[in-house]
Amino acid sequence: MKKSYTLLLLLFLVSTGLKSVAQLPKETAEQKQKRMEWWTNARFGMFIHWGLYSLPARHEWVKKNERMTNEQYQKYFDLFDPDLYNPKEWAKQAKAAGMKYAVLTTKHHEGFCLFDSKLTDYKATNTPAKRDLVREFVDAFRAEGLRVGFYYSLIDWHHPDFPIDANHPQSAKTDSEYDILNKDRDMAKYRKYLYGQVKELMSNYGKIDYLFFDFSYPGKHGKGKDDWDSENLLKMVRQLQPDIVVNDRLDLTDTEGGWDFVTPEQYKVSKCPEYKGQKVPWETCQTFSGSWGYYRDETSWKDNKQLLELLIESVSKGGNLLLNVGPTSRGTFDYRAIEHLNGMGKWMKVNSRSIYGCTEAPDEFRAPSNTLYTYNPVTKRLYIHLLSYPLQNITLPGLNGKVKYAQFLHDGSELRMSPTQASGIKPSTGPEDILISLPVLKPNVEIPVIELFLK
Ligand code: GLC
């Protein structure tokens, strides 16, 4: 009796275990690396947060922050008229900045869809915009040779079945208040809606390279993988778009195949993020100025040097930068965004070799202070980014005998090098170091880069 019970239990565990494993496609580490190769090499992408919140122009969370009802928010829907929307121009601007892919909010937390979903009326086609804005985005960015990504908000503050929770504009104070508010709301219905919309996005726009789900907050008055039915959702995505790369916000951290890369938001990581002791692919998403949606009165804009440092530092730790633009309600990029994209583009035009296809430098190369190293493992070139321009020379530890040639990257001009001993520099340097001579005049680039051809 006891024996057959154990057998039954075992059978049950194996069958349920198998079921959940079979949910998501299996792949080897090499296959995953191959699938993610374009993204890994790209290193720099554009995030685009665009929706009805571009009209109030005071944060994409304005509906929550000001506890607006659907009725109060309706005026933005009625007036949404991006008459200057020209995604071809956006794509050109992204490309000129050196970005290789772009990720657009097809729906943000407010629930408004920029695409022509058959499952709702709350979409761009029913506003004065009168058209599928996602379709135009996809076509324009593809035409510029950029990879195309979708952001999709799991959260929905407009859908009548989405249960009100702590993040919702109508959030409550007590459990009984929540009970009353949610008595007619049915998460199962919302789940179906969410599944259906993601299916539309994955089916109707050709090949989609990238998907950013946003976001899970499991716990009381929150939502996580069971609410979204994350595994089945992702399984469908992978079936429809087998090559797609997907972020980590479905609350499937511990599920095999549940995410492709992690997404540190609005902060600099101190080192390459790890999962169970292994380095993992990562991409930091960052804003120019704080808010993701267009925020007219925000003045906390990062300057060009800070933005370039964000990019270089990400690559120096093996990661990507997804830098956000929040277009206006007319459909244009803010003049400050354009200025900064131009600034980055100017630098990238002559220095992108230290970004694309690059990653962390091998441990043996220790970057001196005020520098960041990136490394291209295919060409075996090491890039030294001079964040603060040194006077006349710089000592690079551990490189003596390992370098064939040194030059400035921006103009390909030779930089002379010598073992530090020979140059009489003492005492902080050793025989394993090299000394690179630099002109006193800082080159006319925001952050000069030394390119070392390693032996
Ligand atoms: C957060 C915010 C959201 C933004 C996202 C970008 O999850 O809720 O407004 O879209 O970060 O990563």
Side-chain angles (χ1 to χ4, degrees), residues 47 49 60-61 108-109 151 212 214-215 249 265 285 292:
F47 218 171
H49 275 68
E60 78 284 355
W61 277 60
H108 202 261
H109 308 337
Y151 165 109
F212 192 113
D214 200 33
F215 61 83
R249 297 194 183 175
E265 175 178 326
C285 47
W292 299 87

Side-chain angles (χ1 to χ4, degrees), residues 59-296:
H59 208 282
E60 78 284 355
W61 277 60
V62 62
K63 191 177 185 191
K64 160 75 178 166
N65 294 344
E66 300 180 16
R67 296 186 61 85
M68 283 188 230
T69 60
N70 283 349
E71 292 66 39
Q72 288 166 329
Y73 206 70
Q74 184 60 25
K75 59 177 178 277
Y76 304 127
F77 180 90
D78 296 336
L79 293 170
F80 184 61
D81 185 12
D83 58 331
L84 300 177
Y85 176 50
N86 179 3
K88 290 188 189 128
E89 217 171 283
W90 291 7
K92 286 204 170 72
Q93 282 161 330
K95 192 174 179 177
M99 292 156 161
K100 293 280 195 189
Y101 59 108
V103 182
L104 173 69
T105 51
T106 56
K107 176 190 98 168
H108 202 261
H109 308 337
E110 63 180 5
F112 174 68
C113 300
L114 292 179
F115 65 108
D116 189 12
S117 170
K118 297 286 168 282
L119 305 172
T120 183
D121 293 331
Y122 202 53
K123 55 183 175 182
T125 40
N126 292 334
T127 66
K130 285 202 187 70
R131 57 204 203 275
D132 186 326
L133 303 168
V134 171
R135 170 95 48 212
E136 291 180 20
F137 159 81
V138 171
D139 294 346
F141 278 73
R142 278 263 178 265
E144 276 304 320
L146 295 168
R147 296 273 184 160
V148 169
F150 288 163
Y151 165 109
Y152 182 83
S153 172
L154 299 163
I155 300 168
D156 196 312
W157 298 332
H158 180 267
H159 197 283
D161 280 306
F162 185 86
I164 290 173
D165 56 30
N167 281 332
H168 194 280
Q170 276 71 55
S171 60
K173 290 207 175 68
T174 63
D175 289 356
S176 53
E177 271 174 45
Y178 274 114
D179 289 345
I180 297 166
L181 283 169
N182 287 328
K183 85 178 156 17
D184 297 323
R185 291 176 179 254
D186 182 352
M187 188 64 192
K189 281 196 193 148
Y190 176 70
R191 201 159 35 237
K192 224 173 134 201
Y193 175 76
L194 152 69
Y195 188 94
Q197 284 211 318
V198 174
K199 194 166 179 187
E200 288 181 325
L201 288 168
M202 295 297 102
S203 312
N204 301 341
Y205 297 88
K207 187 171 172 158
I208 301 304
D209 300 297
Y210 173 117
L211 183 58
F212 192 113
F213 283 115
D214 200 33
F215 61 83
S216 299
Y217 43 114
K220 199 172 175 193
H221 306 308
K223 290 184 178 63
K225 58 173 183 266
D226 295 335
D227 301 288
W228 319 126
D229 191 13
S230 296
E231 272 198 45
N232 279 316
L233 190 63
L234 186 55
K235 188 182 157 198
M236 175 262 291
V237 168
R238 299 240 190 255
Q239 251 160 20
L240 294 170
Q241 299 279 349
D243 297 330
I244 202 164
V245 298
V246 184
N247 77 336
D248 64 336
R249 297 194 183 175
L250 279 172
D251 187 26
L252 292 177
T253 305
D254 296 321
T255 305
E256 199 186 333
W259 51 277
D260 289 327
F261 59 93
V262 299
T263 53
E265 175 178 326
Q266 300 280 46
Y267 68 90
K268 281 190 183 185
V269 298
S270 55
K271 60 183 180 71
C272 180
E274 294 180 1
Y275 177 72
K276 293 191 173 159
Q278 296 284 319
K279 289 181 179 177
V280 293
W282 66 278
E283 174 190 81
T284 181
C285 47
Q286 301 274 345
T287 58
F288 282 122
S289 62
S291 143
W292 299 87
Y294 176 58
Y295 199 133
R296 183 191 56 211

